[in-house]
Amino acid sequence: MSKQFDVVVIGGGPGGYVAAIRAAQLGLATACVEAEAYADPKGEVRLGGTCLNVGCIPSKALLQSSELFDQAGHSFVMHGISTTGVKMDVATMVRRKDNIVTQLTSGIKGLFKKNKVTLLAGHGRFVGREGELWQLDVSGTAVQARHVIIATGSKARHLEGIPVDNKIVCDNAGALSFDAVPKRLGVIGAGVIGLELGSVWKRLGSEVVILEAVPDFLAAADPAVAKEAWKTFTQKQGLEIHLGVKIGKVTVTKKGVSVHYESTDEARVLECDRLVVSVGRIPNTDQLGAGDVGLKLDGRGCIEVNDHCQTNLPNVWAVGDVVRGPMLAHKGMEEGVMVAERIAGQAGHVNYDAIPWVIYTHPEIAWVGKTEQQLKNEGIEYRTGQIPFQANGRALGQGDTTGFVKMLADVRTDRILGVHVIGNNASELIAEAVVAMEFGASSEDIARICHAHPTLSEAMHEAALAVDKRPLHF
């Protein structure tokens, strides 16, 4: 006899497990299907998807460890702290990262028990529809659902002709588990993953060379932020980044990897001990049985949905990396909550204009809303307020004054159109801007809010004042 639920979520990543928990909280009989064990020593299914297992969480753990190591070797001296013989035990660093992952993924199972979500271990696919119930197969077990939420996430995109073994040639997963610091590390792709992972191993002593096909650095970011980041990464931190590169033959040798490429119309060869391929991600939609039930996909393999993540099929929804929009864990979570609430008859909603972006390099980079270039292209008149962290007392006390806060506001209404931060704790500072934009605040609203002193958040306050050309401390 098949198992029957009100809601079945296929995929236990951020979008999926959050959707399942919220649906259960709303009184719906809910199950979540997950097949991936990742590196679980017992071979048990692990929840959390790419983000918790081989993405957001482990990479941030390594970034923190490597940043502390870098500070001990280079920054402590300005505080009068002398250090000698500082060493990094890579095995301990990786083990710490793995323990954090295990703690969080196990915690999701605990949340499932608390909220009475049934975990179905196995691969889920559509079989058909009988009446109002969708028929699913979960690794041989028949399951029925009134509503299905597809949250199968994405996988690393590989380049044709470059075999990834996650030992010598790695994607993001392999680059999180090196057993030693490579003397020379090659990275294909100067996006979020390439910059973050390149930063980790550069801090630990690798000579890092990044090859990027696009001629513009961080094209998605505000031009002023991209310019500041380029200067910091290349001139101050020593990352070697080549733009407008065409990758040719890649060969694994006894000594490492040879990457043949063209840069500024000149043929070159990069010799490195290890290579990381970080050229984006593609949606996991190829094993859903979508073709059998008529689920519409676009040319990239993403599931077509409306503004509320409804597919073309009745009572079938899709969230996260498998649908349009940025592949961000927090975006998938918000979509999961929205869908669960809509299934329950509520008015769940996601404001896609207020989704923050973060790059966890040092300095961190974060933004929400429009860039200055986008506003120019759209013919929107705006005012700008920009304040450097060099004018911020807390940043001076921390000894980290790189970067700035930049605010863009509508000329006519003063409504905030975008906020861009590059600097220490940008990932935390951007939250204030997200709240402001979500509720339609103006730069004057931020300017009138009392910010604690001394804090980095005062730079946000000063940027708001600067929109009206009245900063107090710059």
Side-chain angles (χ1 to χ4, degrees), residues 245-248 259-270:
V245 168
K246 183 178 179 181
I247 302 296
V259 181
H260 296 256
Y261 67 98
E262 291 183 10
S263 179
T264 61
D265 297 325
E266 180 182 347
R268 301 183 181 185
V269 180
L270 167 63

Side-chain angles (χ1 to χ4, degrees), residues 129-168:
R129 183 173 169 83
E130 294 181 7
E132 296 184 351
L133 296 177
W134 283 102
Q135 311 299 312
L136 306 172
D137 175 80
V138 180
S139 295
T141 299
V143 177
Q144 296 180 325
R146 295 188 181 279
H147 292 265
V148 179
I149 303 174
I150 302 170
T152 44
S154 62
K155 56 191 172 187
R157 176 173 170 255
H158 293 171
L159 293 175
E160 186 176 355
I162 303 180
V164 173
D165 60 7
N166 274 331
K167 294 180 180 178
I168 302 299

Side-chain angles (χ1 to χ4, degrees), residues 176-215:
L176 293 168
S177 300
F178 289 170
D179 55 1
V181 178
K183 182 178 180 181
R184 189 172 174 85
L185 176 66
V187 180
I188 299 178
V192 175
I193 297 173
L195 289 173
E196 290 184 355
L197 293 176
S199 294
V200 167
W201 298 106
K202 173 64 179 177
R203 294 169 188 166
L204 299 180
S206 285
E207 180 183 346
V208 178
V209 180
I210 302 177
L211 307 177
E212 170 58 53
V214 176

Side-chain angles (χ1 to χ4, degrees), residues 159 161-170 188 248-260 269-277:
L159 293 175
I162 303 180
V164 173
D165 60 7
N166 274 331
K167 294 180 180 178
I168 302 299
V169 180
C170 305
I188 299 178
K249 185 178 180 181
V250 175
T251 306
V252 177
T253 67
K254 292 182 179 180
K255 295 183 179 180
V257 187
S258 296
V259 181
H260 296 256
V269 180
L270 167 63
E271 301 287 353
C272 50
D273 301 297
R274 276 177 161 153
L275 178 68
V276 177
V277 180

Side-chain angles (χ1 to χ4, degrees), residues 189-192 194-196 199 210-235 237 239-244 359 361 363 365 367 422:
V192 175
L195 289 173
E196 290 184 355
S199 294
I210 302 177
L211 307 177
E212 170 58 53
V214 176
D216 298 316
F217 181 64
L218 287 181
D222 188 87
V225 169
K227 182 179 179 180
E228 180 75 10
W230 175 267
K231 180 177 67 175
T232 302
F233 296 155
T234 59
Q235 297 178 19
Q237 298 180 10
L239 285 173
E240 184 179 338
I241 306 174
H242 299 276
L243 304 175
I359 304 175
T361 48
I365 299 169
W367 71 89
I422 176 169

